[in-house]
């Protein structure tokens, strides 16, 4: 009985494989742009690996800087750690166009995005704030006697989605502290890490927390980098390129349209604009939100054009959606490319820091211009996707 079942399974598998092969051959033989679509998939996978590899490399530098600060607190080491955080964000912002399609960064099985870039966060969940000197995991010795990776991971988003214990923004808060000024970013003192210092209690636990949380970030990015590594057999780099072209192109367009429209125009800009509240901005402790916006918008443009300029020499320039859409429907391609330029123009004149752009009456219309242009970009992306009979 068991042998019969296995035999039937084998026959079914052979038949299924044959059907798949026939379908693929049919797709290749009838699609005059089959090779171009294969080339686009390779450019996408190459770009994903390059940008995640660079993001990992930059975050290892951040890790070294944070450990140095924790072990030897000084103003110079705090400033170096802040700069390393800003540098790491310059690359991570470009990776976010690989989200929203159940890929390695945010698939429901083991995607680590929640350990990397969760926001907005209740800062008093991690450390003290004005008026609450004993707030946060760092100061709660009774409930969190040990500061280690298991404690921080278990605490992340426990009790609410703003209960963020790890990722870039937890590190940002540990470096800058609360932003209480319209003129500057947060002004945390390096003495918060000096044992016996006078600015805050639990200096040693704070230093340990900083080291553990940056180690977790590096580990999470290493996981995503490896998932896109072409040298690793069976990695998602190969899985993506094996997808049928329509599915792969649909994922690409979905990433771009969701990041540009729903996420960037909506969640990351309009919510803060509507509420006129810096608590709703992306990098609220460092006043770096204007760079987050620029980099996310650039990431969409990069993916469409098949270009990535790497700070570490891992440049990518391959056959792109721009090339193929331009071949099939030049007018839709031109409209989208012009829209990218318009969006970047609006972002360039937006006031910063962003927490003032959303409250100063003379500056708020410029924020709305960015939102409107990104929403139009989503419409233009949908039109370009329709060239391939892809609809959303």
């Amino acid at each position: 009985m068991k042998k019969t079942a296995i035999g039937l399974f084998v026959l079914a598998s052979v038949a299924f494989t044959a059907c798949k092969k026939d379908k693929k051959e049919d797709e290749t033989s009838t699609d005059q742009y089959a090779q171009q679509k294969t080339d686009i998939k390779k450019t996408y996978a190459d770009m994903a690996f390059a940008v995640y590899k660079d993001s990992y490399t930059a975050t290892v530098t951040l890790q070294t800087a944070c450990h140095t600060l924790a072990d030897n607190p000084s103003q110079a080491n705090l400033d170096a750690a802040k700069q390393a955080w800003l540098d790491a964000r310059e690359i991570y912002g470009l990776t976010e166009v690989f989200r929203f399609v159940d890929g390695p960064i945010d698939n429901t099985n083991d995607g680590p995005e929640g350990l990397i870039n969760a926001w907005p966060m209740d800062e008093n969940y991690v450390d003290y704030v004005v008026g609450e000197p004993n707030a946060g995991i760092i100061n709660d010795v009774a409930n969190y006697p040990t500061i280690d990776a298991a404690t921080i991971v278990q605490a992340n988003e426990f009790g609410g989605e703003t209960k963020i214990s790890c990722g870039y923004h937890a590190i940002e808060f540990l470096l800058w502290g609360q932003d209480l000024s319209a003129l500057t970013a947060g002004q945390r003192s390096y003495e918060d890490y000096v044992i016996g210092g006078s600015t805050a209690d639990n200096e040693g636990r704070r230093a340990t927390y900083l080291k553990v949380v940056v180690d977790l970030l590096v580990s999470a990015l290493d996981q995503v980098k490896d998932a896109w590594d072409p040298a690793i057999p069976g990695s998602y780099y190969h899985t993506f390129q094996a997808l049928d072209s329509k599915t792969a192109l649909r994922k690409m367009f979905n990433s771009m349209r969701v990041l540009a429209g729903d996420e960037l125009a909506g969640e990351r800009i309009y919510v803060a604009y509507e509420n006129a509240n810096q608590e709703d901005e992306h990098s609220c402790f460092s006043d770096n939100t204007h760079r987050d916006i620029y980099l996310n918008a650039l990431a969409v443009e990069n993916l469409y054009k098949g270009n990535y300029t790497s700070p570490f020499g891992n440049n990518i320039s391959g056959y792109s959606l721009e090339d193929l859409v331009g071949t099939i429907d030049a007018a839709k391609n031109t409209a989208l490319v012009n829209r990218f330029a318009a969006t970047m123009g609006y972002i360039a004149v937006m006031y910063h820091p962003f927490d003032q752009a959303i409250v100063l009456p003379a500056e708020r219309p410029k924020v709305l211009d960015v939102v409107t242009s990104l929403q139009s970009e989503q419409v233009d992306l949908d039109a370009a996707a329709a060239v391939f009979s892809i609809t959303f």
Side-chain angles (χ1 to χ4, degrees), residues 52 98 102-107 110-113 223-224 227-228 236-237:
Y52 278 121
F98 297 100
D102 200 32
I105 180 69
D106 55 5
N107 71 72
D110 65 349
E113 200 278 337
Q223 174 187 326
V224 182
W228 282 105
Y236 192 77
Y237 176 90

Side-chain angles (χ1 to χ4, degrees), residues 100-376:
F100 314 117
V101 286
D102 200 32
I105 180 69
D106 55 5
N107 71 72
T108 55
N109 293 326
D110 65 349
E113 200 278 337
L115 303 177
I116 295 175
N117 194 43
W119 73 282
M121 67 174 286
D122 293 336
E123 56 264 44
N124 62 356
Y125 186 58
V126 170
D127 199 3
Y128 76 90
V129 295
V130 169
E132 299 179 58
N134 299 315
I137 295 169
I138 288 171
N139 297 298
D140 189 350
V141 179
N143 289 310
Y144 302 97
T146 302
I147 300 291
D148 57 17
T151 298
I152 293 174
V153 170
Q154 187 173 17
N156 196 46
E157 300 188 47
F158 183 78
E161 62 180 9
T162 60
K163 305 296 185 185
I164 307 300
S165 63
C166 57
Y168 279 112
H169 299 295
I171 297 168
E172 179 192 7
F173 176 54
L174 290 170
L175 297 179
W176 273 272
Q178 278 182 290
D179 179 7
L180 302 172
S181 169
L183 302 176
T184 69
Q187 297 292 305
R188 183 185 290 275
S189 170
Y190 75 88
E191 293 187 32
D192 282 8
Y193 294 95
V194 176
I195 303 298
S198 60
T199 55
D201 293 334
N202 294 304
E203 301 91 339
R205 284 171 58 87
R206 185 170 297 105
T208 298
Y209 197 110
L210 179 62
K211 292 164 75 171
V212 172
V213 79
V214 76
D215 291 350
L216 284 169
L217 178 61
V218 169
S219 177
L221 284 168
D222 192 30
Q223 174 187 326
V224 182
K225 170 183 67 67
D226 285 352
W228 282 105
D229 191 338
I232 297 177
S235 72
Y236 192 77
Y237 176 90
H238 303 288
T239 300
F240 181 83
Q241 291 186 78
L243 293 173
D244 71 83
S245 291
K246 189 168 184 177
T247 298
L249 265 59
R250 181 182 177 82
K251 285 178 177 287
M252 295 171 69
F253 276 108
N254 193 64
S255 291
M256 292 187 290
R257 66 185 301 280
V258 171
L259 179 57
D262 301 343
E263 187 72 14
L264 189 52
E267 293 293 327
R268 301 189 181 193
I269 303 179
Y270 188 74
V271 171
Y273 169 87
E274 180 70 7
N275 295 336
N277 188 344
Q278 71 173 46
E279 292 297 320
D280 294 316
E281 68 166 319
H282 202 173
S283 295
C284 65
F285 310 115
S286 62
D287 277 348
N288 197 51
T289 300
H290 63 292
R291 292 300 298 174
D292 295 327
I293 292 169
Y294 167 78
L295 292 161
N296 284 171
L298 180 60
V300 175
E301 185 173 349
N302 280 351
L303 179 53
Y304 184 75
K305 294 183 174 180
N307 291 319
Y308 167 59
T309 301
S310 164
F312 304 114
N314 300 312
N315 296 343
I316 299 296
S317 180
Y319 194 83
S320 66
L321 288 167
E322 179 185 27
D323 294 323
L324 187 52
V325 175
T327 297
I328 300 173
D329 192 327
K332 288 182 178 176
N333 181 62
T334 298
L336 182 52
V337 171
N338 288 343
R339 177 51 56 187
F340 288 142
T343 297
M344 286 304 188
Y346 289 125
I347 291 174
V349 299
M350 189 173 64
Y351 188 86
H352 61 85
F354 183 76
D355 58 12
Q356 296 308 298
I358 58 177
V359 297
L360 296 174
E363 302 300 333
R364 282 174 55 83
K366 298 175 187 174
V367 178
L368 206 53
D369 285 342
V370 176
V371 170
T372 302
S373 190
L374 285 165
Q375 290 172 331
S376 296

Side-chain angles (χ1 to χ4, degrees), residues 14-35:
V14 169
F16 178 67
T17 302
C19 288
K20 283 181 65 180
K21 185 177 180 182
D22 290 346
K23 183 178 179 181
K24 197 162 189 175
E25 286 176 346
D26 181 63
E27 176 185 288
T28 302
S29 63
T30 58
D31 186 349
Q32 64 175 313
Y33 301 114
Q35 184 57 52

